[in-house]
C-alpha cells in the first residue's frame, strides 16, 4: 500500500501543466484468482485510453511513450501480487505516479488538460495523523501513524525499559537520579483488552519513577508534533502514566499488553480511538453549516460554491465521496475526455471545487451522501 497525502493531491490537482493528462483507476485484489482479472481490467482500460487518444489525433509514437509506464506495470507480474484494494495512476509527458490504496476505486480513465483526483479524496480527508505510545516496563515504543499506515520512530534520550532507570535491588545499589515532572494529561474512555500489575519484584515507586522519566524525556521528543497520542498498555501502567504525563494531547487509551504486538496489530487497535476525533470534527462542521445556512455564509449550491472556491473563500467543504460522483454516473463509458461528456459534468465540477479548496487551504470532508447536510451532494461554509 502506498501513502497518499494531502500534498500529493494538491500536486496532482495543479492546473497549467502542459501536455495531455491521463488519470486511471481500477479496483484491485490483494490475492487469489481475482488478481488475474485485475490485470485484464487494467489492459482493457489502457486499450480504451489508447483508442481515445488516437481519436483525438495523437500520433501512435506519442501514445506509446505517454502510456509506457502503465503498460510496463501490466507486464510486472510481481507488482500485481502486492496490490491493495485499488490502483490509481497518473501520466503526463515525462512524468507519472501510481498509488496502491486500501480503498476500492471505480474503473475509470480520463483524458484532458489536468488530472482527476476525486476518487482518492476520501483517503486523505478521512485520515488523521497520530502517535501511539506503548506503555510497558520492558519496551517503550513510539509509533507515528495514520489511517493508511504506521511506523516505529527511533527514540533518542528516552528510556525504553525500567532497567535503564531503576537498578536492581542488590545491596549497595542506588537508583539513577531523576527529576520529578509536573502531572498532566486527561483521562479518557479506554478500550479494555486486559488488566495487569507490575512484575512482582518491581516496586510501585520504581515503576512510577521510570514512567515519569519516560514522560519527561518524551515530552521533549514529541512536544512540537501537536498530534493526538494513544497510550497502549495494561491498566496499571496506563493509569500511572496518565498521572505523570506532560504531553498535552494524550487521548483515550487501549488497555492491553503491548509487548507481543506488532506495529500493524497496534495500529488496528488504536485507529478506532483516533477515528473518534475525526468524527467529532465532521459533526462540528455539519453543525456549523446548519447554523450558518441561509445567512450567506454557507450554501449547497454548486455554482456558488465553485465561484467561492476559485476565490479562496471556502473554509470547509463537505462532499459526497463514499462513493464519489464518478462511481454512479448513468453511462457505461470507462474512459472519457474531460469537458466533453455531459454525464460527467457535475463530477468534473466537484473535482474542481475540491482542488481549489485544497489549493487555498480549506478543510474537506468526503463523507457518505446521507451525511451531507442540506440538499444535494455538496455543502460549504465560506470564510466571508
Amino acid at each position: 500500500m502506498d501513502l497518499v497525502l494531502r500534498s500529493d493531491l494538491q500536486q496532482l490537482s495543479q492546473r497549467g501543466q502542459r501536455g495531455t493528462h491521463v488519470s486511471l483507476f481500477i479496483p484491485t485484489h490483494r490475492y487469489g484468482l481475482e488478481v488475474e482479472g485485475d490485470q485484464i481490467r487494467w489492459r482493457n482500460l489502457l486499450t480504451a485510453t489508447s483508442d481515445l487518444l488516437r481519436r483525438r489525433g495523437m500520433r501512435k509514437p506519442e501514445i506509446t511513450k505517454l502510456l509506457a509506464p502503465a503498460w510496463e506495470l501490466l507486464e510486472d507480474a510481481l507488482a500485481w501480487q502486492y496490490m491493495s484494494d485499488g490502483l490509481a495512476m497518473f501520466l503526463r509527458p515525462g512524468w507519472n505516479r501510481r498509488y496502491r490504496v486500501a480503498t476500492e476505486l471505480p474503473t475509470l480513465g480520463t483524458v484532458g488538460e489536468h488530472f482527476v483526483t476525486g476518487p482518492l479524496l476520501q483517503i486523505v480527508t478521512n485520515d488523521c495523523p497520530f502517535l501511539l505510545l506503548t506503555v510497558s516496563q520492558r519496551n517503550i515504543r513510539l509509533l507515528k501513524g495514520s489511517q493508511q499506515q504506521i511506523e516505529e520512530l527511533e527514540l533518542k534520550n528516552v528510556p525504553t525499559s525500567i532497567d535503564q532507570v531503576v537498578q536492581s535491588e542488590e545491596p549497595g545499589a542506588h537508583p539513577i537520579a531523576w527529576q520529578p515532572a509536573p502531572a498532566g494529561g486527561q483521562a479518557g474512555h479506554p478500550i479494555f483488552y486486559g488488566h495487569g500489575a507490575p512484575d512482582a519484584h518491581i516496586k510501585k515507586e520504581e515503576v512510577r519513577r521510570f514512567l515519569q522519566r519516560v514522560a519527561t524525556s518524551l515530552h521533549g521528543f514529541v512536544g512540537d508534533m501537536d498530534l493526538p497520542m494513544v497510550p497502549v498498555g495494561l491498566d496499571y501502567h496506563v493509569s500511572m502514566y496518565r498521572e505523570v504525563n506532560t504531553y498535552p494531547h494524550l487521548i483515550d487509551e487501549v488497555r492491553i499488553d503491548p509487548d507481543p504486538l506488532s506495529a500493524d496489530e497496534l495500529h488496528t487497535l488504536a485507529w478506532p480511538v483516533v477515528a473518534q476525533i475525526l468524527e467529532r470534527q465532521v459533526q462540528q462542521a455539519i453543525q456549523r453549516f446548519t447554523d450558518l445556512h441561509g445567512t450567506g455564509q454557507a450554501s449547497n449550491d454548486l455554482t456558488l460554491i465553485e465561484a467561492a472556491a476559485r476565490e479562496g473563500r471556502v473554509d470547509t467543504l463537505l462532499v459526497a465521496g463514499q462513493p464519489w460522483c464518478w462511481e454512479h454516473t448513468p453511462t457505461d463509458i470507462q474512459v472519457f475526455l474531460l469537458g466533453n461528456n455531459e454525464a460527467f459534468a457535475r463530477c468534473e465540477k466537484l473535482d474542481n471545487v475540491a482542488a481549489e479548496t485544497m489549493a487555498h487551504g480549506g478543510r474537506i470532508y468526503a463523507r457518505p451522501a446521507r451525511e451531507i447536510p442540506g440538499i444535494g451532494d455538496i455543502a460549504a461554509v465560506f470564510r466571508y
Side-chain angles (χ1 to χ4, degrees), residues 155-174:
L155 287 174
K156 298 180 179 179
N157 302 318
V158 178
T160 57
S161 71
I162 196 168
D163 292 340
Q164 296 174 355
V165 174
V166 180
Q167 295 183 1
S168 65
E169 291 295 315
E170 296 176 359
H174 300 282

Side-chain angles (χ1 to χ4, degrees), residues 359-381:
H360 291 91
R363 291 183 293 270
I364 304 179
Y365 300 107
R367 306 294 293 181
R370 65 180 181 277
E371 295 184 17
I372 306 303
I375 301 174
D377 51 7
I378 191 169
V381 174

Side-chain angles (χ1 to χ4, degrees), residues 10 18 37 42 44 56 78 91 98 103 105 116 118 163 179 197 199 217-218 221 231 264 276 316 327 330 359:
Q10 288 175 319
R18 293 184 178 181
W42 187 248
N44 293 339
R56 286 193 69 204
L78 184 61
L91 307 104
R98 79 180 190 205
T103 299
L105 299 176
V116 161
D163 292 340
Q179 295 293 328
D199 295 342
S217 304
L218 197 63
F221 188 79
D264 287 341
Q276 295 175 13
T316 303
E327 300 178 48

Side-chain angles (χ1 to χ4, degrees), residues 327-348:
E327 300 178 48
H328 50 73
T329 49
T331 178
D332 295 328
I333 300 174
Q334 290 187 340
V335 182
F336 71 96
L337 183 64
L338 293 175
N340 196 49
N341 192 312
E342 186 60 32
F344 292 101
R346 186 171 184 86
C347 299
E348 290 191 53

Side-chain angles (χ1 to χ4, degrees), residues 113-162:
E113 296 179 352
H114 58 81
F115 292 127
V116 161
T117 58
L120 298 182
L121 196 63
Q122 60 177 305
I123 300 172
V124 173
T125 64
N126 292 329
D127 213 342
C128 182
F130 69 95
L131 297 171
L132 185 154
L133 179 69
T134 64
V135 186
S136 162
Q137 293 173 197
R138 301 181 185 88
N139 189 18
I140 295 290
R141 289 180 283 167
L142 180 68
L143 301 92
K144 184 177 181 181
S146 66
Q147 184 184 28
Q148 303 175 61
Q149 67 175 26
I150 195 165
E151 62 178 349
E152 187 167 346
L153 302 179
E154 181 183 358
L155 287 174
K156 298 180 179 179
N157 302 318
V158 178
T160 57
S161 71
I162 196 168

Side-chain angles (χ1 to χ4, degrees), residues 39-54:
Q39 290 176 272
I40 294 172
R41 186 182 298 109
W42 187 248
R43 180 189 297 276
N44 293 339
L45 190 63
L46 293 183
T47 300
T49 303
S50 297
D51 291 343
L52 177 57
L53 291 170
R54 178 178 49 78

